[in-house]
Short mmCIF file of all heavy atoms in Angstrom, two decimals:
data_model
loop_
_atom_site.label_atom_id
_atom_site.label_comp_id
_atom_site.label_asym_id
_atom_site.label_seq_id
_atom_site.Cartn_x
_atom_site.Cartn_y
_atom_site.Cartn_z
N TYR A 147 7.03 -6.46 -0.19
CA TYR A 147 6.17 -6.40 0.99
C TYR A 147 4.95 -7.28 0.72
O TYR A 147 4.47 -7.35 -0.41
CB TYR A 147 5.67 -4.99 1.25
CG TYR A 147 6.71 -3.98 1.68
CD1 TYR A 147 7.47 -3.30 0.72
CD2 TYR A 147 6.93 -3.67 3.02
CE1 TYR A 147 8.42 -2.36 1.09
CE2 TYR A 147 7.88 -2.74 3.40
CZ TYR A 147 8.61 -2.09 2.44
OH TYR A 147 9.55 -1.16 2.81
N ILE A 148 4.46 -7.92 1.76
CA ILE A 148 3.13 -8.53 1.69
C ILE A 148 2.32 -7.94 2.83
O ILE A 148 2.69 -8.04 4.01
CB ILE A 148 3.17 -10.06 1.77
CG1 ILE A 148 3.81 -10.63 0.50
CG2 ILE A 148 1.76 -10.63 1.97
CD1 ILE A 148 3.85 -12.15 0.44
N THR A 149 1.22 -7.28 2.46
CA THR A 149 0.37 -6.59 3.41
C THR A 149 -0.98 -7.28 3.47
O THR A 149 -1.63 -7.45 2.44
CB THR A 149 0.21 -5.12 3.00
OG1 THR A 149 1.49 -4.49 2.98
CG2 THR A 149 -0.70 -4.37 3.97
N ILE A 150 -1.39 -7.67 4.68
CA ILE A 150 -2.65 -8.40 4.84
C ILE A 150 -3.58 -7.65 5.80
O ILE A 150 -3.15 -6.78 6.55
CB ILE A 150 -2.40 -9.84 5.34
CG1 ILE A 150 -1.72 -9.84 6.73
CG2 ILE A 150 -1.54 -10.61 4.35
CD1 ILE A 150 -2.61 -10.12 7.88
N HIS A 151 -4.84 -8.02 5.75
CA HIS A 151 -5.84 -7.46 6.67
C HIS A 151 -6.04 -8.41 7.84
O HIS A 151 -6.14 -9.63 7.64
CB HIS A 151 -7.17 -7.25 5.94
CG HIS A 151 -7.15 -6.11 4.98
ND1 HIS A 151 -7.74 -4.89 5.25
CD2 HIS A 151 -6.57 -5.99 3.76
CE1 HIS A 151 -7.55 -4.07 4.22
NE2 HIS A 151 -6.85 -4.71 3.30
N PRO A 152 -6.08 -7.90 9.06
CA PRO A 152 -6.25 -8.79 10.23
C PRO A 152 -7.53 -9.61 10.18
O PRO A 152 -7.57 -10.72 10.71
CB PRO A 152 -6.22 -7.84 11.43
CG PRO A 152 -6.50 -6.48 10.87
CD PRO A 152 -5.98 -6.49 9.48
N GLU A 153 -8.57 -9.09 9.52
CA GLU A 153 -9.83 -9.83 9.45
C GLU A 153 -9.74 -11.05 8.52
O GLU A 153 -10.64 -11.89 8.51
CB GLU A 153 -10.96 -8.92 8.93
CG GLU A 153 -11.15 -7.63 9.71
CD GLU A 153 -10.44 -6.47 9.03
OE1 GLU A 153 -9.34 -6.68 8.44
OE2 GLU A 153 -10.98 -5.35 9.10
N SER A 154 -8.66 -11.13 7.74
CA SER A 154 -8.54 -12.21 6.77
C SER A 154 -7.94 -13.48 7.35
O SER A 154 -7.78 -14.48 6.64
CB SER A 154 -7.69 -11.76 5.58
OG SER A 154 -6.35 -11.54 5.98
N THR A 155 -7.61 -13.46 8.64
CA THR A 155 -6.99 -14.62 9.27
C THR A 155 -7.53 -14.80 10.68
O THR A 155 -7.86 -13.83 11.37
CB THR A 155 -5.46 -14.47 9.32
OG1 THR A 155 -4.90 -15.56 10.05
CG2 THR A 155 -5.04 -13.16 9.98
N ASN A 156 -7.61 -16.05 11.11
CA ASN A 156 -8.02 -16.34 12.49
C ASN A 156 -6.85 -16.28 13.46
O ASN A 156 -7.06 -16.24 14.68
CB ASN A 156 -8.66 -17.73 12.56
CG ASN A 156 -9.98 -17.79 11.83
OD1 ASN A 156 -10.74 -16.83 11.81
ND2 ASN A 156 -10.25 -18.93 11.20
N HIS A 157 -5.64 -16.29 12.94
CA HIS A 157 -4.44 -16.33 13.79
C HIS A 157 -3.42 -15.35 13.22
O HIS A 157 -2.52 -15.73 12.47
CB HIS A 157 -3.87 -17.75 13.83
CG HIS A 157 -4.88 -18.78 14.24
ND1 HIS A 157 -5.32 -18.91 15.54
CD2 HIS A 157 -5.55 -19.70 13.51
CE1 HIS A 157 -6.22 -19.88 15.60
NE2 HIS A 157 -6.38 -20.38 14.39
N ILE A 158 -3.56 -14.11 13.60
CA ILE A 158 -2.80 -13.05 12.95
C ILE A 158 -1.29 -13.17 13.17
O ILE A 158 -0.49 -12.95 12.24
CB ILE A 158 -3.32 -11.65 13.39
CG1 ILE A 158 -2.66 -10.56 12.55
CG2 ILE A 158 -3.11 -11.43 14.87
CD1 ILE A 158 -3.30 -9.21 12.72
N ASN A 159 -0.86 -13.56 14.36
CA ASN A 159 0.58 -13.71 14.60
C ASN A 159 1.18 -14.78 13.70
O ASN A 159 2.26 -14.60 13.13
CB ASN A 159 0.84 -14.05 16.07
CG ASN A 159 0.87 -12.82 16.95
OD1 ASN A 159 1.80 -12.03 16.90
ND2 ASN A 159 -0.16 -12.65 17.75
N ARG A 160 0.47 -15.87 13.53
CA ARG A 160 0.94 -16.96 12.68
C ARG A 160 1.04 -16.49 11.23
O ARG A 160 2.00 -16.78 10.53
CB ARG A 160 0.00 -18.15 12.78
CG ARG A 160 0.44 -19.38 11.98
CD ARG A 160 -0.61 -20.48 12.09
NE ARG A 160 -0.84 -20.84 13.49
CZ ARG A 160 -1.90 -21.55 13.90
NH1 ARG A 160 -2.82 -21.93 13.03
NH2 ARG A 160 -2.04 -21.83 15.18
N THR A 161 0.04 -15.74 10.78
CA THR A 161 0.04 -15.25 9.41
C THR A 161 1.20 -14.29 9.16
O THR A 161 1.88 -14.37 8.12
CB THR A 161 -1.29 -14.56 9.09
OG1 THR A 161 -2.35 -15.50 9.26
CG2 THR A 161 -1.32 -14.03 7.67
N LEU A 162 1.45 -13.39 10.09
CA LEU A 162 2.57 -12.47 9.94
C LEU A 162 3.90 -13.21 9.92
O LEU A 162 4.82 -12.85 9.17
CB LEU A 162 2.55 -11.43 11.06
CG LEU A 162 1.32 -10.52 11.11
CD1 LEU A 162 1.40 -9.56 12.29
CD2 LEU A 162 1.13 -9.75 9.81
N ASP A 163 4.00 -14.28 10.71
CA ASP A 163 5.21 -15.10 10.70
C ASP A 163 5.41 -15.78 9.34
O ASP A 163 6.55 -15.93 8.87
CB ASP A 163 5.15 -16.16 11.80
CG ASP A 163 5.33 -15.58 13.20
OD1 ASP A 163 5.84 -14.44 13.30
OD2 ASP A 163 4.96 -16.26 14.17
N ILE A 164 4.33 -16.19 8.71
CA ILE A 164 4.43 -16.82 7.39
C ILE A 164 5.02 -15.84 6.37
O ILE A 164 5.85 -16.21 5.53
CB ILE A 164 3.05 -17.33 6.92
CG1 ILE A 164 2.58 -18.48 7.80
CG2 ILE A 164 3.11 -17.78 5.46
CD1 ILE A 164 1.14 -18.90 7.54
N ILE A 165 4.60 -14.58 6.45
CA ILE A 165 5.16 -13.57 5.54
C ILE A 165 6.66 -13.45 5.74
O ILE A 165 7.44 -13.48 4.78
CB ILE A 165 4.49 -12.20 5.78
CG1 ILE A 165 2.99 -12.26 5.48
CG2 ILE A 165 5.16 -11.12 4.93
CD1 ILE A 165 2.23 -10.99 5.84
N LYS A 166 7.09 -13.34 6.98
CA LYS A 166 8.51 -13.20 7.30
C LYS A 166 9.29 -14.43 6.88
O LYS A 166 10.39 -14.32 6.30
CB LYS A 166 8.67 -12.96 8.81
CG LYS A 166 10.04 -12.47 9.22
CD LYS A 166 10.24 -11.03 8.79
CE LYS A 166 11.52 -10.44 9.35
NZ LYS A 166 11.72 -9.04 8.94
N GLU A 167 8.74 -15.61 7.15
CA GLU A 167 9.42 -16.85 6.80
C GLU A 167 9.61 -17.01 5.30
O GLU A 167 10.51 -17.73 4.85
CB GLU A 167 8.63 -18.04 7.35
CG GLU A 167 8.68 -18.16 8.87
CD GLU A 167 7.58 -19.04 9.43
OE1 GLU A 167 6.81 -19.63 8.63
OE2 GLU A 167 7.48 -19.13 10.67
N ASN A 168 8.77 -16.34 4.51
CA ASN A 168 8.87 -16.42 3.06
C ASN A 168 9.71 -15.29 2.47
O ASN A 168 9.70 -15.07 1.25
CB ASN A 168 7.48 -16.44 2.44
CG ASN A 168 6.86 -17.83 2.47
OD1 ASN A 168 7.08 -18.64 1.56
ND2 ASN A 168 6.11 -18.12 3.53
N GLY A 169 10.42 -14.58 3.34
CA GLY A 169 11.41 -13.62 2.88
C GLY A 169 10.90 -12.25 2.49
O GLY A 169 11.61 -11.48 1.84
N CYS A 170 9.67 -11.93 2.90
CA CYS A 170 9.09 -10.63 2.56
C CYS A 170 8.99 -9.73 3.78
O CYS A 170 8.94 -10.21 4.92
CB CYS A 170 7.70 -10.80 1.95
SG CYS A 170 7.72 -11.64 0.35
N LYS A 171 8.94 -8.44 3.55
CA LYS A 171 8.67 -7.49 4.62
C LYS A 171 7.19 -7.58 4.98
O LYS A 171 6.34 -7.84 4.13
CB LYS A 171 9.06 -6.08 4.21
CG LYS A 171 10.57 -5.91 4.00
CD LYS A 171 10.93 -4.48 3.70
CE LYS A 171 12.41 -4.32 3.44
NZ LYS A 171 13.23 -4.66 4.62
N VAL A 172 6.90 -7.32 6.26
CA VAL A 172 5.58 -7.61 6.81
C VAL A 172 4.75 -6.34 6.92
O VAL A 172 5.14 -5.37 7.58
CB VAL A 172 5.71 -8.26 8.20
CG1 VAL A 172 4.33 -8.56 8.78
CG2 VAL A 172 6.55 -9.53 8.12
N GLY A 173 3.58 -6.37 6.27
CA GLY A 173 2.66 -5.24 6.35
C GLY A 173 1.30 -5.66 6.85
O GLY A 173 0.88 -6.81 6.68
N ILE A 174 0.62 -4.72 7.47
CA ILE A 174 -0.75 -4.97 7.91
C ILE A 174 -1.61 -3.77 7.52
O ILE A 174 -1.16 -2.62 7.59
CB ILE A 174 -0.83 -5.25 9.42
CG1 ILE A 174 -2.09 -6.03 9.76
CG2 ILE A 174 -0.72 -3.99 10.26
CD1 ILE A 174 -1.98 -6.83 11.02
N ALA A 175 -2.82 -4.04 7.04
CA ALA A 175 -3.72 -2.98 6.57
C ALA A 175 -4.86 -2.79 7.56
O ALA A 175 -5.38 -3.75 8.12
CB ALA A 175 -4.28 -3.35 5.19
N ILE A 176 -5.25 -1.53 7.75
CA ILE A 176 -6.29 -1.18 8.71
C ILE A 176 -7.42 -0.48 7.98
O ILE A 176 -7.26 0.62 7.44
CB ILE A 176 -5.73 -0.26 9.82
CG1 ILE A 176 -4.53 -0.91 10.50
CG2 ILE A 176 -6.82 0.05 10.84
CD1 ILE A 176 -3.86 -0.02 11.54
N ASN A 177 -8.58 -1.12 7.95
CA ASN A 177 -9.75 -0.54 7.31
C ASN A 177 -10.28 0.67 8.08
O ASN A 177 -10.00 0.82 9.28
CB ASN A 177 -10.84 -1.59 7.17
CG ASN A 177 -10.56 -2.58 6.05
OD1 ASN A 177 -9.80 -2.30 5.14
ND2 ASN A 177 -11.18 -3.75 6.13
N PRO A 178 -11.05 1.54 7.44
CA PRO A 178 -11.48 2.79 8.08
C PRO A 178 -12.18 2.63 9.42
O PRO A 178 -11.98 3.44 10.32
CB PRO A 178 -12.41 3.42 7.03
CG PRO A 178 -11.89 2.92 5.73
CD PRO A 178 -11.42 1.52 6.00
N ALA A 179 -13.02 1.60 9.57
CA ALA A 179 -13.79 1.45 10.80
C ALA A 179 -13.14 0.52 11.81
O ALA A 179 -13.72 0.26 12.87
CB ALA A 179 -15.19 0.94 10.46
N LEU A 180 -11.94 0.02 11.52
CA LEU A 180 -11.28 -0.93 12.41
C LEU A 180 -10.50 -0.21 13.50
O LEU A 180 -9.72 0.70 13.22
CB LEU A 180 -10.34 -1.84 11.61
CG LEU A 180 -9.61 -2.93 12.40
CD1 LEU A 180 -10.60 -3.96 12.93
CD2 LEU A 180 -8.56 -3.60 11.53
N SER A 181 -10.67 -0.64 14.74
CA SER A 181 -9.87 -0.11 15.85
C SER A 181 -8.42 -0.51 15.68
O SER A 181 -8.11 -1.59 15.18
CB SER A 181 -10.41 -0.65 17.18
OG SER A 181 -9.51 -0.36 18.24
N ILE A 182 -7.52 0.36 16.13
CA ILE A 182 -6.09 0.06 16.01
C ILE A 182 -5.54 -0.62 17.26
O ILE A 182 -4.33 -0.85 17.35
CB ILE A 182 -5.28 1.34 15.71
CG1 ILE A 182 -5.35 2.32 16.89
CG2 ILE A 182 -5.75 1.98 14.42
CD1 ILE A 182 -4.40 3.49 16.76
N ASP A 183 -6.38 -0.97 18.22
CA ASP A 183 -5.90 -1.54 19.47
C ASP A 183 -5.13 -2.83 19.26
O ASP A 183 -4.19 -3.14 20.02
CB ASP A 183 -7.08 -1.80 20.42
CG ASP A 183 -7.71 -0.52 20.94
OD1 ASP A 183 -7.05 0.54 20.82
OD2 ASP A 183 -8.85 -0.56 21.44
N PHE A 184 -5.47 -3.60 18.22
CA PHE A 184 -4.80 -4.88 17.98
C PHE A 184 -3.31 -4.69 17.69
O PHE A 184 -2.51 -5.62 17.86
CB PHE A 184 -5.47 -5.63 16.83
CG PHE A 184 -5.12 -5.10 15.48
CD1 PHE A 184 -4.10 -5.67 14.72
CD2 PHE A 184 -5.80 -4.02 14.94
CE1 PHE A 184 -3.78 -5.18 13.48
CE2 PHE A 184 -5.48 -3.53 13.70
CZ PHE A 184 -4.47 -4.10 12.96
N LEU A 185 -2.91 -3.49 17.25
CA LEU A 185 -1.50 -3.25 16.95
C LEU A 185 -0.59 -3.48 18.14
O LEU A 185 0.58 -3.85 17.98
CB LEU A 185 -1.31 -1.82 16.43
CG LEU A 185 -1.81 -1.52 15.01
CD1 LEU A 185 -1.67 -0.04 14.71
CD2 LEU A 185 -1.08 -2.35 13.97
N ASP A 186 -1.12 -3.27 19.34
CA ASP A 186 -0.31 -3.47 20.55
C ASP A 186 0.22 -4.89 20.63
O ASP A 186 1.24 -5.14 21.27
CB ASP A 186 -1.14 -3.15 21.79
CG ASP A 186 -1.54 -1.69 21.88
OD1 ASP A 186 -0.83 -0.85 21.30
OD2 ASP A 186 -2.57 -1.39 22.50
N HIS A 187 -0.46 -5.84 20.00
CA HIS A 187 -0.10 -7.25 20.13
C HIS A 187 0.76 -7.76 18.98
O HIS A 187 1.29 -8.88 19.06
CB HIS A 187 -1.38 -8.09 20.22
CG HIS A 187 -2.31 -7.64 21.29
ND1 HIS A 187 -2.09 -7.89 22.63
CD2 HIS A 187 -3.46 -6.91 21.22
CE1 HIS A 187 -3.07 -7.37 23.34
NE2 HIS A 187 -3.92 -6.76 22.50
N VAL A 188 0.93 -6.95 17.92
CA VAL A 188 1.68 -7.44 16.76
C VAL A 188 2.72 -6.45 16.24
O VAL A 188 3.46 -6.76 15.31
CB VAL A 188 0.72 -7.79 15.59
CG1 VAL A 188 -0.24 -8.89 16.00
CG2 VAL A 188 -0.05 -6.56 15.11
N ILE A 189 2.82 -5.27 16.84
CA ILE A 189 3.62 -4.21 16.25
C ILE A 189 5.09 -4.58 16.13
O ILE A 189 5.80 -4.12 15.23
CB ILE A 189 3.43 -2.89 17.03
CG1 ILE A 189 3.87 -1.69 16.16
CG2 ILE A 189 4.13 -2.93 18.38
CD1 ILE A 189 3.39 -0.35 16.66
N GLU A 190 5.57 -5.47 17.00
CA GLU A 190 6.98 -5.85 16.95
C GLU A 190 7.31 -6.70 15.72
O GLU A 190 8.47 -6.90 15.38
CB GLU A 190 7.37 -6.62 18.22
CG GLU A 190 6.83 -8.04 18.33
CD GLU A 190 5.38 -8.11 18.76
OE1 GLU A 190 4.80 -7.05 19.10
OE2 GLU A 190 4.83 -9.23 18.80
N LYS A 191 6.29 -7.16 15.00
CA LYS A 191 6.50 -7.98 13.81
C LYS A 191 6.43 -7.17 12.51
O LYS A 191 6.70 -7.71 11.44
CB LYS A 191 5.44 -9.10 13.74
CG LYS A 191 5.48 -10.11 14.88
CD LYS A 191 4.36 -11.13 14.71
CE LYS A 191 4.34 -12.12 15.87
NZ LYS A 191 5.43 -13.10 15.78
N LEU A 192 6.09 -5.89 12.59
CA LEU A 192 5.69 -5.13 11.41
C LEU A 192 6.82 -4.28 10.81
O LEU A 192 7.64 -3.72 11.53
CB LEU A 192 4.51 -4.22 11.73
CG LEU A 192 3.25 -4.90 12.28
CD1 LEU A 192 2.18 -3.86 12.58
CD2 LEU A 192 2.74 -5.95 11.30
#
Side-chain angles (χ1 to χ4, degrees):
Y147 292 85
I148 292 182
T149 300
I150 61 102
H151 287 256
E153 306 97 325
S154 67
T155 175
N156 293 325
H157 306 286
I158 188 169
N159 277 288
R160 183 183 302 165
T161 300
L162 298 179
D163 287 342
I164 292 171
I165 297 174
K166 194 73 172 180
E167 289 162 4
N168 279 273
C170 294
K171 294 184 182 297
V172 180
I174 203 156
I176 304 176
N177 284 339
L180 182 67
S181 169
I182 65 170
D183 291 343
F184 77 96
L185 287 175
D186 295 334
H187 307 285
V188 299
I189 199 164
E190 73 281 354
K191 297 178 182 285
L192 303 179

